[in-house]
């Protein structure tokens, strides 16, 4: 029994020893296996970070474990595909930049946040400053241009065309939205020389119209004086009545001549000879225009939407009133039944939008509405929009017109906000 007890104790000790040795062996083998698995995982992690940093072929172990060889092969194929895609993108960008370097239009691409992603040399020449990628649109050097870009990105429009004056050059600009909300592309064309040529032609046309308009009042004046001479020579008893009628008609025609002369003189005044713009509260002026137009007897409904009680813009109060009166009267003459005027401030600019439901403007006439020529109406000189544009340009603002035949017209006046004036 004692011998059996000793053998049982020895067997128990041996079993415990073998169990401990097995546990130690299992622990050691698990550590070895973990190290064998951690090495390829670490290599894959480092290679993925290298690809993210722009490296095309990150280093990988030459002899991975059997279990990781398919993973390594798939990773190398993925890295090769990414490298080819990256090269294709770089090549496409180079081609795009090469094309943009040779085009005559200035091109600036911005992302959804208004940050420049691409600008060609022509755009830098038109803006007279370098435009590097990463530059915010507000640093383009043209507050009005930056305001239009920000307004476009915040809207749902797909494309918008407008004109702007930058550095003494007249630019025709176009904003187009990129797909999937990636931003927008701004194209700019210098139409200064074209505009000058058009103005030269327009001046010739205007000279002919001036001669025609002056001739119209002269004819009744001449006929009235001839009538007075005949009546006086005949000794007619009703000569006082004839004198009063003809004098009234002659004075009315003289007033027409005076209006033509003042309109022509005002349009021909150089911007440098005009007084500088000053901070002007737009809201009271627009309210006054609306109240004035409501006095008309033709039933046109004028409404005003002004979200702020005070909106200061760089302008000249009297001239701004004349501009708005001209726009309102154009809407009335277009047989509008409802005219809506909206005043709002956003992104360093004050916008005055005048929308009517009148006859609209034909597409072939719309591009020429700001040219300095006379209207066929005998009641006015026809220089209203040309003068309005000259005045607004002198304030550093812009005016544009959108219209559809039979649907109405929208006149958008954009002025520099007084706080954003340079």
């Amino acid at each position: 029994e004692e011998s059996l007890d000793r053998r049982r104790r020895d067997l128990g000790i041996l079993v415990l020893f073998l169990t401990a040795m097995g546990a130690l062996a299992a622990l050691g083998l698990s550590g070895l296996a973990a190290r064998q698995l951690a090495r390829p995982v670490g290599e894959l992690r480092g290679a993925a970070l290298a690809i993210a940093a722009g490296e095309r072929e990150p280093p990988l172990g030459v002899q991975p474990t059997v279990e990781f060889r398919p993973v390594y092969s798939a990773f190398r194929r993925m890295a090769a595909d990414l490298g080819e895609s990256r090269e294709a993108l770089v090549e496409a960008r180079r081609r795009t930049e090469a094309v943009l370097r040779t085009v005559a239009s200035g091109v600036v691409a911005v992302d959804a946040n208004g940050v420049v992603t691409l600008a060609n040399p022509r755009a830098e020449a038109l803006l007279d400053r370098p435009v590097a990628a990463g530059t915010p649109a507000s640093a383009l050097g043209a507050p009005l241009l930056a305001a239009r870009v920000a307004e476009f990105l915040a809207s749902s429009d797909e494309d918008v065309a407008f004109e702007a004056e930058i550095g003494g050059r007249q630019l025709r600009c176009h904003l187009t939205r990129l797909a999937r909300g990636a931003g927008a592309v701004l194209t700019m064309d210098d139409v200064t020389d074209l505009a000058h040529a058009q103005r030269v032609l327009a001046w010739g046309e205007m000279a002919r119209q001036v001669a025609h308009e002056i001739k119209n009042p002269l004819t009744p004046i001449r006929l009235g004086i001839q009538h007075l001479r005949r009546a006086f020579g005949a000794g007619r008893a009703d000569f006082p009545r004839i004198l009063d009628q003809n004098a009234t008609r002659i004075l009315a025609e003289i007033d027409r001549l005076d209006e033509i002369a003042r309109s022509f003189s005002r349009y021909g005044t150089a911007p440098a000879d005009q007084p500088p713009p000053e901070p002007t509260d737009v809201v009271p002026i627009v309210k006054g225009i609306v109240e004035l137009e409501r006095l008309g007897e033709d039933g046109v409904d004028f409404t005003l939407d002004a979200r702020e009680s005070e909106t200061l813009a760089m302008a000249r109060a009297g001239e701004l009133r004349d501009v708005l009166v001209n726009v309102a009267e154009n809407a009335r003459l277009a047989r509008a039944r409802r005219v809506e005027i909206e005043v709002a401030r956003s992104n360093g600019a004050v916008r005055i939008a005048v929308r009517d439901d009148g006859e609209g403007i034909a597409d072939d006439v719309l591009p020429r509405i700001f040219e300095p020529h006379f209207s066929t109406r005998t009641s006015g000189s026809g220089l209203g929009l040309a003068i309005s544009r000259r005045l607004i340009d002198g304030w550093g603002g812009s005016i544009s017109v959108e219209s559809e035949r039979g649907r109405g017209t929208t006149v958008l006046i954009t002025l520099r906000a007084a706080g954003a004036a340079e």
Side-chain angles (χ1 to χ4, degrees):
E1 289 180 358
E2 292 179 359
S3 176
L4 289 175
D5 289 339
R6 284 194 301 269
R7 287 183 180 181
R8 282 196 295 268
R9 286 195 300 270
D10 292 342
L11 182 59
I13 292 171
L14 178 60
V15 170
L16 289 174
F17 177 75
L18 291 176
T19 302
M21 293 300 295
L24 291 174
L27 183 61
L29 290 175
S30 63
L32 179 62
R35 286 192 296 271
Q36 291 294 328
L37 294 175
R39 183 180 61 82
V41 171
E43 288 183 350
L44 289 173
R45 178 179 179 276
L49 292 176
I51 289 178
E55 189 174 342
R56 181 180 179 184
E57 296 182 357
L60 287 173
V62 179
Q63 291 295 335
T65 59
V66 176
E67 295 80 0
F68 276 87
R69 286 178 185 174
V71 179
Y72 271 50
S73 298
F75 190 89
R76 289 191 179 98
R77 288 196 300 270
M78 181 196 70
D81 292 341
L82 288 175
E84 292 176 359
S85 299
R86 183 180 288 111
E87 285 189 353
L89 288 174
V90 171
E91 183 62 27
R93 185 181 180 88
R94 288 175 180 171
R95 288 196 301 267
T96 302
E97 291 177 347
V99 171
L100 292 179
R101 278 196 298 269
T102 59
V103 299
S105 300
V107 179
V108 178
V110 297
D111 61 15
N113 297 320
V115 178
V116 175
T117 59
L118 178 67
N120 67 343
R122 180 58 176 165
E124 295 179 342
L126 292 176
L127 297 173
D128 194 23
R129 65 179 56 206
V131 182
T135 303
S138 58
L140 294 178
L144 181 61
L145 192 63
R148 294 303 295 266
V149 171
E151 178 185 345
F152 178 77
L153 291 175
S155 69
S156 59
D157 298 332
E158 291 298 324
D159 56 85
V160 171
F162 61 96
E163 293 189 0
E165 185 174 348
I166 300 175
R169 309 293 293 178
Q170 189 71 27
L171 302 183
R172 183 173 296 160
C173 305
H174 193 94
L175 278 165
T176 304
R177 192 174 300 279
L178 296 175
R180 296 184 295 276
V185 173
L186 170 66
T187 58
M188 300 175 289
D189 293 299
D190 188 354
V191 295
T192 305
D193 295 337
L194 176 62
H196 176 72
Q198 291 176 343
R199 282 195 295 270
V200 171
L201 295 176
W203 276 110
E205 175 66 19
M206 187 169 62
R208 290 190 291 270
Q209 294 288 348
V210 167
H212 175 73
E213 289 293 324
I214 291 177
K215 181 179 178 181
N216 286 338
L218 290 179
T219 299
I221 290 175
R222 181 176 64 253
L223 294 177
I225 293 177
Q226 291 174 351
H227 186 201
L228 287 174
R229 292 182 62 182
R230 289 195 302 271
F232 181 77
R236 294 181 53 172
D238 59 347
F239 180 76
R241 180 184 61 81
I242 297 175
L243 175 62
D244 182 69
Q245 290 178 347
N246 284 275
T248 301
R249 186 180 300 113
I250 291 172
L251 290 175
E253 298 301 330
I254 290 176
D255 290 339
R256 288 182 57 192
L257 286 174
D258 180 65
E259 179 186 352
I260 294 172
R262 285 188 291 106
S263 299
F264 189 80
S265 175
R266 193 172 190 177
Y267 182 82
T269 302
D273 298 334
Q274 297 177 355
E278 56 189 10
T280 302
D281 193 354
V282 174
V283 174
I285 296 176
V286 177
K287 285 183 178 178
I289 299 299
V290 171
E291 293 174 358
L292 176 65
E293 294 296 334
R294 285 173 177 170
L295 299 177
E297 299 179 353
D298 48 6
V300 182
D301 181 19
F302 279 83
T303 62
L304 172 63
D305 180 8
R307 300 166 188 166
E308 300 180 14
S309 60
E310 182 181 71
T311 305
L312 297 180
M314 300 304 296
R316 289 184 287 271
E319 295 176 351
L320 178 59
R321 184 181 183 279
D322 292 343
V323 169
L324 294 175
V325 166
N326 178 260
V327 173
E329 286 302 309
N330 286 344
R332 190 187 296 276
L333 293 171
R335 299 180 182 178
R337 306 311 305 163
R338 180 177 178 83
V339 180
E340 301 176 355
I341 303 179
E342 178 186 358
V343 180
R345 173 170 177 164
S346 63
N347 300 315
V350 175
R351 298 174 52 217
I352 305 173
V354 183
R355 304 180 181 90
D356 68 66
D357 59 353
E359 298 174 343
I361 304 172
D363 293 339
D364 57 338
V365 177
L366 188 60
R368 303 188 60 190
I369 59 175
F370 291 109
E371 293 181 5
H373 61 79
F374 284 95
S375 168
T376 56
R377 299 194 307 268
T378 59
S379 60
S381 64
L383 284 173
L385 285 177
I387 294 175
S388 298
R389 184 174 186 177
R390 172 66 66 89
L391 295 174
I392 295 173
D393 287 347
W395 306 335
S398 65
I399 179 173
S400 60
V401 176
E402 297 178 2
S403 184
E404 185 177 351
R405 191 66 175 172
R407 298 290 298 274
T409 302
T410 298
V411 179
L412 179 62
I413 300 173
T414 304
L415 305 175
R416 292 179 298 156
E422 297 179 355

